[in-house]
Amino acid sequence: FKMKIYYALILLALVMAIGLGVLHPSSQQDPEPIVVTESISKDTLTTPPDSSSTASDKILECITKEMLLGKFSPEGDTNYVVIPTYMCKYKGLYCHREPFAAFIAMRDSARKAGVKLIITSAFRSFDDQKEIWNTKWKSSNYTSTKDEIHKIRSIMRYSSMPGTSRHHWGTELDVNSCKLAYWNSSEGKRAYQWLCNNAHKFGFYQPYTADAGRTGYAEEKWHWSYKAMSEKYFEAYIKTITAEDITGFRGSHLVDSLKVIQTYVQGVSH
């Protein structure tokens, strides 16, 4: 009889625990599990960026000329994270930790509004940019002219010379598509309108707008820059880099005469 009372008390305690949610499996789980890669801590994925953080300042104290020119690898650098494949179109994309945390918050907010944001490009090294440049240099779209200056200007409507791309800094993200047709579609127009209205809330802005007073590249609705960090990279670039530093690819001998730094690197909206 005593044993029956003992087991009855144990059963009662279990029922009460379940009723209070202590042992309810769902009470210990996130409503939407977050996939964490080896290079990204769960804190980075779930914690929104702190506007008062000095992380940008601390990182930027260590900027080198090689970083500004994209002549380094982010692999193994704790300031960078590998973007999970479910957030981007291509494997192996890197981004500075702080802007990526900001993108996660922006992506989640957009999703609640029915807008999908996916990263198509992030950090690009000098060699990555050189491959893009060389491919376009050899393309039939640009080989019809023997005038190198005209050829370079045509390529640079949408592509930077190696060593001059903001993507070298790890602060820039291309989203959804770099095809103009997409941004002219109903989905693209809706995504762009949402970004124009909300990206600034997460620290992002569009550096290449349709502003008539801007020089250099054509408008890029897909390119968004994390302002707190990119502005300091920009300032360091202007102070540190000269035309002589931009070399090692076809057409680089014309960097100075084309005023690439003044016209293109500095040709951004602020």
Side-chain angles (χ1 to χ4, degrees), residues 127-242:
D127 289 338
D128 292 334
Q129 197 67 32
K130 185 176 179 178
E131 184 176 353
I132 293 171
W133 183 265
N134 286 342
T135 298
K136 290 198 172 185
W137 188 274
K138 298 171 186 177
S139 169
S140 59
N141 293 330
Y142 303 101
T143 53
S144 59
T145 177
K146 294 182 179 180
D147 182 348
E148 284 192 332
I149 289 180
H150 176 73
K151 182 174 186 174
I152 289 170
R153 284 177 173 159
S154 297
I155 294 174
M156 292 184 73
R157 276 185 57 75
Y158 293 107
S159 295
S160 302
M161 284 183 169
T164 70
S165 174
R166 294 172 66 94
H167 281 280
H168 295 332
W169 308 340
T171 62
E172 315 297 298
L173 296 173
D174 290 348
V175 298
N176 292 14
S177 176
C178 62
K179 303 291 185 182
L180 295 178
Y182 168 81
W183 296 100
N184 288 327
S185 70
S186 57
E187 180 185 340
K189 287 178 179 178
R190 187 159 182 258
Y192 182 63
Q193 190 60 55
W194 188 93
L195 286 163
C196 288
N197 293 338
N198 297 281
H200 68 278
K201 300 174 185 176
F202 304 92
F204 289 95
Y205 82 106
Q206 183 185 355
Y208 305 126
T209 65
D211 181 2
R214 193 178 61 75
T215 61
Y217 307 106
E219 179 187 24
E220 295 186 352
K221 294 181 178 181
W222 53 86
H223 186 145
W224 295 83
S225 176
Y226 187 67
K227 193 170 186 177
M229 192 174 283
S230 65
E231 280 192 336
K232 294 178 181 178
Y233 266 88
F234 176 84
E235 182 181 350
Y237 191 100
I238 300 307
K239 288 180 178 178
T240 308
I241 305 301
T242 66

Side-chain angles (χ1 to χ4, degrees), residues 3-159:
M3 289 300 296
K4 289 182 180 180
I5 293 175
Y6 175 77
Y7 287 120
L9 289 172
I10 292 176
L11 180 60
L12 178 61
L14 288 172
V15 170
M16 290 177 68
I18 294 172
L20 292 171
V22 175
L23 298 180
H24 198 293
S26 64
S27 69
Q28 304 302 314
Q29 297 177 356
D30 292 330
E32 184 179 359
I34 295 174
V35 178
V36 182
T37 69
E38 289 183 0
S39 301
I40 305 175
S41 70
K42 192 168 183 179
D43 287 341
T44 299
L45 286 174
T46 57
T47 305
D50 182 355
S51 59
S52 63
S53 172
T54 59
S56 295
D57 295 318
K58 291 177 181 178
I59 292 171
L60 297 175
E61 289 174 0
C62 304
I63 287 181
T64 64
K65 180 180 284 189
E66 286 71 26
M67 290 178 179
L68 294 170
L69 295 170
K71 294 183 177 181
F72 86 108
S73 172
E75 186 176 355
D77 188 328
T78 57
N79 293 318
Y80 279 81
V81 295
V82 180
I83 301 171
T85 53
Y86 68 90
M87 288 190 187
C88 58
K89 283 191 175 180
Y90 309 102
K91 291 182 179 180
L93 295 184
Y94 284 84
C95 182
H96 255 299
R97 190 173 290 274
E98 188 176 331
F100 181 58
F103 172 78
I104 291 172
M106 182 169 73
R107 171 183 175 270
D108 289 345
S109 180
R111 186 169 53 182
K112 290 174 184 176
V115 172
K116 181 180 178 181
L117 296 179
I118 187 167
I119 297 170
T120 60
S121 186
F123 168 82
R124 290 203 293 263
S125 69
F126 180 93
D127 289 338
D128 292 334
Q129 197 67 32
K130 185 176 179 178
E131 184 176 353
I132 293 171
W133 183 265
N134 286 342
T135 298
K136 290 198 172 185
W137 188 274
K138 298 171 186 177
S139 169
S140 59
N141 293 330
Y142 303 101
T143 53
S144 59
T145 177
K146 294 182 179 180
D147 182 348
E148 284 192 332
I149 289 180
H150 176 73
K151 182 174 186 174
I152 289 170
R153 284 177 173 159
S154 297
I155 294 174
M156 292 184 73
R157 276 185 57 75
Y158 293 107
S159 295

